[in-house]
Amino acid sequence: MSLYKESGVDIEKADKLIDWLQSTEEDSSKKAKEKNLYGSSLSGIGGFAALYATDFSKMREPVLVSSTDGVGTKILLAIEEKNLSGIGQDLVAMCLNDIYTTGAKPLFFLDYFATGVLNAEQFKDVVAGVKSACQKCDTTLIGGETAELPGLYKKGHFDLAGFSVGVIDKKDILSAEKVEDGDELIAIKSNGFHSNGFSLIRKWLQELPRERQEAYMDFLLKPTTLYTLIPDLCKELPGCIKSCAHITGGGISGNLERVLPKNAIASIIKDKLPKNAKMWEFIKVHTDDPFSVESTFNLGSGMILVIKKGNHEKIVQKSSILGFEAVHIGDVQIKKDADKKKLPVINFL
């Protein structure tokens, strides 16, 4: 046994897992190269750095878009339940959904897996989920890092981080600057809590008997929706979508304002928001007023689009064709003489 292994770090095990990943890389890399319109990977997984050859010849002014994120304490629940099947997609979605808010197309993704003692089955479950999610998004898993850190993480625990880069033509970037008076708000339904608010969710679960916890577990661990429809909608309905918010921690009120001009008021009709029955059932076990936790959960809306007035029916129809449920939930007013220090404002009606 090596001295390093005696300290708790097993390099041979890590190398074998990289070999496993490389052995599954060839087919997925070919698929990614076939589908990706803007380039392809020039390097295999396992090098010190990843290489990506771009082809932006069809764009006037290509702009790179980057994002990084993690999964948060949802990982703890997945570890406790020995159900890691959705965690890889959670990681990819939390990064790529942020890129989608600009209208951009993700190009490639990298992951960082840090643990106390490397568990091969955990690693394979997570990375298999990452690879599958990247394929769903026509995005190349170009590389990553695995770190064994005994003393920092206790045995059986790990943490994840993801990194992604996308591209968009400058003229097509979605932003608050494009929002105008009278624009409409469209919510794209979430499939659950996604990867936010799990510190509160885990606290609430502890207040329930085990049999009731189990009734919600599959739903709570459902992987985050991948909002692949956003660039497709932008392409099929050019100029229709003005800006887009990913509804994560902070809820609608904390995220929608980030994609509105400073003198905007967004009016949202509560009863029109898409509702996930299982989510509301779980919340109502703990509070009679779901909107009391609006700043923690997405409450059924994973993305909110600001679109050109009069186009909500087109967006709803196109979203349905692409497999997503979209709902017209309100509109935006621009107050020219308003006190910008107090705006934007999100009003729930």
Side-chain angles (χ1 to χ4, degrees):
M1 180 182 289
S2 70
L3 293 175
Y4 205 14
K5 191 170 183 179
E6 288 178 4
S7 73
V9 179
D10 191 340
I11 295 176
E12 291 182 6
K13 184 189 292 184
D15 287 343
K16 287 179 180 178
L17 288 173
I18 296 302
D19 290 341
W20 166 81
L21 185 55
Q22 289 173 328
S23 71
T24 64
E25 180 193 1
E26 185 175 349
D27 290 340
S28 62
S29 292
K30 287 180 179 177
K31 290 178 183 177
K33 287 179 183 178
E34 291 171 0
K35 294 180 179 179
N36 204 315
L37 298 175
Y38 302 114
S40 60
S41 172
L42 294 183
S43 59
I45 291 172
F48 289 104
L51 304 175
Y52 191 88
T54 59
D55 178 7
F56 301 151
S57 57
K58 296 179 181 179
M59 294 184 172
R60 290 184 185 177
E61 295 182 86
V63 176
L64 294 178
V65 183
S66 62
S67 177
T68 182
D69 208 339
V71 179
T73 55
K74 186 175 184 178
I75 290 176
L76 290 174
L77 185 60
I79 290 171
E80 291 163 3
E81 296 301 314
K82 296 182 174 60
N83 182 358
L84 303 177
S85 60
I87 292 296
Q89 179 166 318
D90 282 317
L91 182 65
V92 173
M94 294 306 290
C95 295
L96 265 57
N97 285 344
D98 281 352
I99 285 179
Y100 287 139
T101 65
T102 67
K105 179 75 176 176
L107 298 174
F108 55 81
F109 183 86
L110 300 96
D111 66 327
Y112 177 74
F113 185 103
T115 186
V117 177
L118 192 55
N119 180 301
E121 292 308 312
Q122 285 185 333
F123 179 87
K124 289 180 179 180
D125 284 348
V126 171
V127 176
V130 169
K131 291 184 64 176
S132 175
C134 285
Q135 289 171 12
K136 292 175 185 176
C137 300
D138 300 342
T139 302
T140 304
L141 176 60
I142 201 171
E145 175 68 13
T146 304
E148 199 168 14
L149 306 170
L152 185 57
Y153 299 96
K154 65 182 182 180
K155 187 175 181 179
H157 281 217
F158 63 89
D159 200 7
L160 300 170
F163 313 86
S164 187
V165 173
V167 67
I168 189 170
D169 210 331
K170 187 175 181 180
K171 64 181 174 56
D172 298 325
I173 297 173
L174 305 182
S175 72
E177 296 175 358
K178 295 184 176 181
V179 177
E180 300 174 288
D181 186 61
D183 283 344
E184 299 173 323
L185 298 171
I186 299 289
I188 311 294
K189 190 174 182 179
S190 70
N191 68 353
F193 289 102
H194 288 174
S195 298
N196 301 103
F198 273 81
S199 293
L200 179 57
I201 287 171
R202 291 176 66 246
K203 177 180 179 297
W204 279 353
L205 280 172
Q206 291 170 5
E207 298 170 1
L208 298 176
R210 181 59 192 173
E211 61 270 18
R212 294 197 67 187
Q213 292 181 27
E214 291 175 350
Y216 291 108
M217 207 57 68
D218 286 345
F219 171 71
L220 294 174
L221 291 175
K222 187 177 292 187
T224 304
T225 302
L226 297 158
Y227 288 98
T228 54
L229 83 164
I230 304 299
D232 292 335
L233 288 175
C234 291
K235 183 179 180 180
E236 293 186 28
L237 299 170
C240 183
I241 300 176
K242 305 289 191 70
S243 68
C244 175
H246 182 199
I247 310 305
T248 55
I252 295 173
S253 57
N255 288 285
L256 181 56
E257 66 176 15
R258 298 164 64 182
V259 298
L260 294 174
K262 296 299 182 183
N263 55 341
I265 297 177
S267 298
I268 296 173
I269 301 172
K270 285 184 180 181
D271 290 343
K272 286 191 174 182
L273 287 168
K275 290 184 176 60
N276 185 303
K278 198 74 173 179
M279 173 189 285
W280 283 64
E281 177 188 319
F282 180 77
I283 292 174
K284 285 186 174 182
V285 170
H286 305 278
T287 174
D288 292 332
D289 178 17
F291 270 85
S292 66
V293 289
E294 183 277 323
S295 63
T296 302
F297 304 125
N298 64 57
L299 295 186
S301 301
M303 288 275 195
I304 292 184
L305 313 179
V306 184
I307 70 166
K308 188 176 181 180
K309 183 179 180 180
N311 284 268
H312 65 266
E313 291 182 356
K314 291 180 182 178
I315 292 287
V316 169
Q317 183 180 21
K318 288 286 186 182
S319 298
S320 179
I321 292 171
L322 293 169
F324 295 82
E325 181 180 334
V327 182
H328 178 212
I329 60 170
D331 57 23
V332 176
Q333 301 87 42
I334 304 298
K335 302 296 183 181
K336 294 181 180 179
D337 300 323
D339 181 356
K340 292 186 180 183
K341 292 181 180 179
K342 298 180 180 179
L343 295 173
V345 171
I346 314 298
N347 284 334
F348 290 100
L349 307 176

